[in-house]
Amino acid sequence: MIRVRFAPSPTGYLHIGGARTALFNWLYARRHGGTFVLRIEDTDTERSSWDMVAGIVGGLRWLGIDWDEGPDTGGPHAPYFQSERIELYRAAAQRLVDAGCAYYCYCSPELLQQKRQAAEASGGGWVYDRACCALPPEEIARLEASGAPRAVRFKVPPGETAFDDLVHGTISFANANVEDFVVLRSDRQPTYHLSVVADDIEMQITHVVRGDDHISNTPKQILLYEAFQTTPPLFAHVPLIMGPDKKRLSKRHGATSVIEYERLGYLPEAMVNFLALLGWSPGTDQELFTQGDLIHAFALEGISGGNAVFNPDKLDWFNQQHIMRLSVEDLSTRLEPLLREHRLWHHDFVGARREWLHRMIDLLKPRVKRLPQFVEEARPFLTDEIGFDEAAVRKHLAKAALAAPFERLRAAFDTAEPFTAGVLEAALRTLAESEHVPPAALIQATRVAVTGRAVSPGLFEVLELLGRERVARRMANAPLAVANRDTG
RNA sequence: GUCCCCAUCGUCCAGAGGCCCAGGACGUGGCCCUUUCAAGGCCAAAACGCGGGUUCGAAUCCCGCUGGGGACGCCA
């Protein structure tokens, strides 16, 4: 039985990298019928906050990532907040000390700081010098009597620590390069290494899928597993996501919070598709995936070893592709809040004009990369306050030679029966011929007249959607608007 | 500085010794469709970091170099 976990620290929002790590874990669990656990690593009480927990949970939900065990869901290994499991870690630390795998360290943070700086000044790295590892009993007694604060440090044994990483293959470290790390702080709070390992053991995690940046932590954690006489889980370290400058993705690269992308009008399915293909490949040429496709295709073996650059253009493409694949019903549901926000929603869009709304959405669908663009594209259909693009008016509408034919076109449209794209197109082309005007000139002029813009979906569909009345009104008013401006 | 990871088009990936004078996708340029803009179709430019090996044969294996990234906390 596969058990994986996503273990964010609520010291920030759910960022792109974290989301992908969560996604990979989730996909892996779902692919193999395993269990996906959400565990909140809030042992850093200073920096953790409830808002951040809510933000992370919200981000995961938005992406459609659900968990089988976790904070709100509960489960056989509850609680899923590390801050509520402190006693477990203290007991674990005690076991390490009892087994001779760890020792008390009385060095003050200030002293360590000093030593570290000194080592750095002489141009070298620093690992703890084990000053407290072999303190004589009298010295320990003296320190204890004086009430000196003590931390618990893990005693790294000599030798080498290696593991078979599922994406990188064998990785090994000389233990000499691994320092005696603190497992329990002097205030009796556990450190990350202790709490992850204690929890991953207790929660029976079988696969640890996490960011590359944890590779150097892995030997410490494996040593801990060994000290606890348990078999470590399998590790899969996925490469990091970089900004276009190949630096670690950060705020200066724009939006890095997943939930920000919701606000920008990205579909969660597009985000998931994009993220999944960032550092992972199904081994085929398929690019577009539904969540179900991904679950079916996902395998840890397809994760590549090198860092990946976040490419916003490709995200946009995925978004557009997924928008086009959405059913009109679905799309209109997602558009409703947006349209309401701009006061462009009409109550009968769920009633009498439902079918009309769907036709409009279908027309606009392939022209939109992000949801908010819909609002702009839809404006001419939803309000009479359209506003004219002056350049478009000058180029296509305000032409003296067009005045008469345009007026006759308006009359022709007025009597067109039925008022449908096909009939309107035939009427326009017939008129263009008899007036010796290129059809394109009339089309462009009409487009500007009824939408205010030089670009729109196919004119005749637009006209049909607008309806006889609005077309007549806008055609009658448009040239007038130009005249007014000219004289004013 | 030490340790670790990585190295194919600008970007994301395919390629697990001959099928590769390297394939797909985004982006870019051109053409087609066409009433504009998209969408769609077609075409094009664009890469195996360098140097040594191993081998009949290397993008693929080994070594070195270079470059990029990560980690070196009583943060997670």
Side-chain angles (χ1 to χ4, degrees):
Chain A
M1 187 58 171
I2 284 167
R3 290 178 58 84
V4 294
R5 58 16 173 222
F6 177 56
S9 158
T11 53
Y13 44 71
L14 179 65
H15 56 90
I16 297 291
R20 192 192 53 170
T21 300
L23 178 65
F24 282 3
N25 275 284
W26 182 82
L27 287 172
Y28 190 61
R30 293 291 171 264
R31 172 70 181 88
H32 295 100
T35 303
F36 177 61
V37 178
L38 175 63
R39 183 177 72 217
I40 306 298
E41 309 223 323
D42 56 350
T43 51
D44 184 347
T45 50
E46 291 294 308
R47 298 197 300 150
S48 298
S49 89
W50 249 107
D51 283 356
M52 294 305 169
V53 174
I56 289 167
V57 164
L60 292 173
R61 289 220 171 97
W62 179 66
L63 289 170
I65 295 175
D66 59 344
W67 44 97
D68 307 300
E69 297 174 25
D72 50 349
T73 331
H77 300 275
Y80 292 89
F81 284 98
Q82 289 194 326
S83 57
E84 295 171 20
R85 302 168 64 86
I86 303 295
E87 285 311 321
L88 179 83
Y89 314 133
R90 286 181 184 152
Q94 189 58 52
R95 263 182 286 136
L96 290 175
V97 173
D98 293 345
C101 295
Y103 58 90
Y104 293 113
C105 172
Y106 301 89
C107 297
S108 69
E110 296 73 34
L111 176 66
L112 294 171
Q113 172 90 348
Q114 260 173 37
K115 288 185 176 180
R116 227 186 316 269
Q117 278 172 352
E120 220 163 276
S122 57
W126 151 268
V127 290
Y128 178 62
D129 58 9
R130 295 196 147 172
C132 296
C133 186
L135 250 25
E138 318 82 64
E139 180 64 6
I140 293 179
R142 195 188 62 76
L143 255 6
E144 287 292 332
S146 73
R150 60 181 198 188
V152 177
R153 272 187 196 272
F154 184 78
K155 193 196 290 180
V156 174
E160 190 178 85
T161 302
F163 61 100
D164 288 313
D165 191 275
L166 263 19
V167 349
H168 296 284
T170 303
I171 299 178
S172 73
F173 292 82
N175 290 6
N177 291 321
V178 182
E179 79 168 346
D180 284 358
F181 53 99
V182 171
V183 292
L184 199 68
R185 293 187 253 262
S186 50
D187 62 0
R188 299 193 33 84
Q189 289 295 313
T191 62
Y192 163 71
H193 295 296
L194 213 219
S195 58
V196 240
V197 171
D199 280 346
D200 283 344
I201 291 172
E202 199 278 329
M203 295 179 181
Q204 295 171 24
I205 299 303
T206 58
H207 299 253
V208 171
V209 181
R210 57 175 15 169
D212 237 352
D213 49 343
H214 284 289
I215 288 181
S216 54
N217 290 329
T218 309
K220 292 177 182 169
Q221 292 166 198
I222 286 178
L223 257 12
L224 239 21
Y225 280 100
E226 287 169 356
F228 288 126
Q229 300 185 323
T230 53
T231 310
L234 264 19
F235 292 94
H237 287 100
V238 325
L240 269 18
I241 299 175
M242 317 302 258
D245 57 357
K246 305 229 179 167
K247 299 287 179 203
R248 216 173 159 164
L249 202 60
S250 72
K251 277 182 189 152
R252 60 200 166 75
H253 296 112
T256 52
S257 157
V258 160
I259 217 65
E260 225 169 305
Y261 284 89
E262 176 184 27
R263 215 175 35 74
L264 291 170
Y266 290 92
L267 263 30
E269 39 273 83
M271 195 54 153
V272 162
N273 194 160
F274 171 72
L275 249 23
L277 259 28
L278 202 55
W280 172 76
S281 162
T284 66
D285 281 346
Q286 186 178 351
E287 297 276 343
L288 262 10
F289 287 83
T290 63
Q291 212 164 61
D293 292 340
L294 286 173
I295 289 172
H296 187 73
F298 191 76
L300 260 18
E301 292 70 36
I303 297 175
S304 50
N307 294 338
V309 172
F310 182 93
N311 180 186
D313 284 336
K314 193 151 188 180
L315 208 212
D316 277 349
W317 179 77
F318 275 118
N319 207 44
Q320 181 171 37
Q321 292 298 320
H322 277 94
I323 286 175
M324 286 194 290
R325 281 163 179 73
L326 244 34
S327 70
V328 260
E329 288 82 8
D330 193 342
L331 234 194
S332 74
T333 307
R334 304 198 203 205
L335 252 18
E336 182 177 340
L338 230 43
L339 291 174
R340 281 186 188 283
E341 198 182 306
H342 288 84
R343 304 183 173 284
L344 293 173
W345 181 262
H346 298 260
H347 62 274
D348 55 2
F349 281 170
V350 291
R353 288 214 285 159
R354 184 181 141 91
E355 196 262 344
W356 179 87
L357 177 74
H358 288 182
R359 277 197 290 146
M360 183 196 77
I361 289 174
D362 263 334
L363 218 48
L364 265 23
K365 232 178 21 167
R367 288 158 227 275
V368 165
K369 281 187 158 69
R370 290 176 292 271
L371 259 18
Q373 290 177 347
F374 249 106
V375 177
E376 278 324 297
E377 297 297 323
R379 200 172 283 277
F381 301 98
L382 302 178
T383 172
D384 284 330
E385 293 149 36
I386 51 174
F388 287 90
D389 172 345
E390 304 231 5
V393 171
R394 248 178 283 122
K395 186 170 179 196
H396 299 295
L397 196 53
K399 297 261 172 92
L402 239 37
F406 187 76
E407 176 53 27
R408 275 188 277 278
L409 180 64
R410 187 179 68 80
F413 282 172
D414 225 16
T415 56
E417 194 59 49
F419 199 81
T420 57
V423 173
L424 296 170
E425 176 161 12
L428 182 140
R429 289 192 189 280
T430 304
L431 186 93
E433 192 156 19
S434 63
E435 295 286 328
H436 306 292
V437 171
L442 279 179
I443 287 170
Q444 284 300 86
T446 309
R447 187 193 313 283
V448 176
V450 302
T451 68
R453 313 166 182 190
V455 300
S456 83
L459 178 70
F460 304 105
E461 281 72 33
V462 168
L463 294 176
E464 179 178 332
L465 202 58
L466 245 20
R468 188 190 303 278
E469 201 180 306
R470 279 195 286 182
V471 169
R473 192 167 357 112
R474 290 183 191 179
M475 285 184 79
N477 291 339
L480 208 60
V482 174
N484 281 346
R485 192 173 38 247
D486 285 349
T487 54

